[in-house]
Amino acid sequence: MKLIRSIFALIALPAVAAGAYTLVTAFLSFAGNGGREYIPFWLGIFCYMVFQIAFYKPLRTYVFGHELSHAIAGIISGARIKKFTVGQESGSVVLTKDNIWITLAPYFFPIYTIILVVIYVLAGWFTDIRLYYPYFLFLAGLTIAFHIALTIYILSIGQPDLKVYGVFFSYVAMIAVNVVVFSVLMAFAFPHEIGLGELAGQMAENIAGFYFFIYGGISEIVTAFRTTE
């Protein structure tokens, strides 16, 4: 089964790479052209990075969010929580069932950013949230920097979660879902700068172009090989 998943991941890799390229390009374009109203977002990222570099990695907070992601994915999948523990640098959740979404959920979703978005949306039912948009941007930058920095850190020291479905397949799946999640988050946070439909259209165009490029390259190799026979 792992072999089948690896083959599937290999086939999907060009699409994932093209999607990631499109997302990064859109984000860099936004970074270069965004207005002054987005300064709180960049300040949030800067503040977190300074905090982690100058003081320490808030690993217990990350571990809690990591295990909470497993638990929430499990509940959504119909599982029951039997045990939930959080330590300084590790934790565990015991559930009555498991699947790929439960296993890899912490690497798919920036849990604290998503909680922030939910609170922000719910607050909009009771008040004019436009007044709090700068604070939302600051906390969004802070939580996203927190998630990315510490996820990269824990992946660098090895995670048994990735071995359950195969490391290669897990990484491809993680990147694919992260592209979708961060595309939605960017479109939500910066609606006047990034359109989700436009971004999705550009991704589809780049993915198709990538596969056509690969197909063309393979066709040329096959033609050249046949010519030499």
Side-chain angles (χ1 to χ4, degrees):
M1 190 65 180
K2 284 188 177 181
L3 176 60
I4 295 175
R5 284 194 289 264
S6 295
I7 293 172
F8 176 79
L10 184 62
I11 294 171
L13 186 59
V16 175
Y21 169 80
T22 307
L23 178 63
V24 171
T25 301
F27 183 75
L28 292 177
S29 176
F30 162 74
N33 301 316
R36 293 175 59 86
E37 64 269 31
Y38 303 116
I39 288 177
F41 175 75
W42 304 113
L43 186 60
I45 293 176
F46 176 77
C47 286
Y48 176 75
M49 297 310 299
V50 168
F51 176 82
Q52 179 170 308
I53 294 170
F55 296 99
Y56 74 105
K57 300 179 181 72
L59 286 175
R60 182 183 288 272
T61 303
Y62 179 83
V63 169
F64 175 78
H66 183 102
E67 304 305 335
L68 180 62
S69 298
H70 283 307
I72 292 174
I75 292 172
I76 293 173
S77 299
R80 290 183 293 105
I81 301 173
K82 298 177 67 176
K83 184 180 180 182
F84 187 100
T85 60
V86 175
Q88 181 60 39
E89 296 188 1
S90 65
S92 66
V93 174
V94 179
L95 300 165
T96 55
K97 66 181 293 186
D98 192 17
N99 57 43
I100 187 172
W101 307 110
I102 296 173
T103 301
L104 299 180
Y107 315 100
F108 291 159
F109 305 113
I111 184 66
Y112 292 114
T113 307
I114 292 174
I115 291 173
L116 171 66
V117 169
V118 171
I119 293 173
Y120 186 70
V121 171
L122 291 177
W125 294 356
F126 306 100
T127 186
D128 184 2
I129 56 174
R130 290 175 297 179
L131 300 174
Y132 304 97
Y133 183 60
Y135 303 101
F136 167 76
L137 287 181
F138 176 81
L139 292 174
L142 191 79
T143 54
I144 287 173
F146 165 87
H147 171 77
I148 293 176
L150 291 184
T151 297
I152 291 174
Y153 170 73
I154 66 162
L155 287 175
S156 71
I157 62 177
Q159 289 297 305
D161 289 336
L162 305 187
K163 298 178 181 179
V164 176
Y165 293 95
V167 174
F168 177 61
F169 175 81
S170 296
Y171 267 105
V172 172
M174 283 163 46
I175 296 171
V177 180
N178 270 291
V179 167
V180 175
V181 170
F182 277 94
S183 294
V184 173
L185 287 175
M186 284 174 57
F188 177 83
F190 317 117
H192 302 298
E193 304 291 336
I194 298 173
L196 186 58
E198 181 181 351
L199 184 59
Q202 187 62 53
M203 281 187 185
E205 183 179 334
N206 287 344
I207 289 171
F210 207 161
Y211 276 111
F212 277 121
F213 174 78
I214 293 174
Y215 175 77
I218 293 175
S219 297
E220 289 183 6
I221 293 173
V222 171
T223 301
F225 178 76
R226 288 177 176 176
T227 303
T228 59
E229 289 183 341

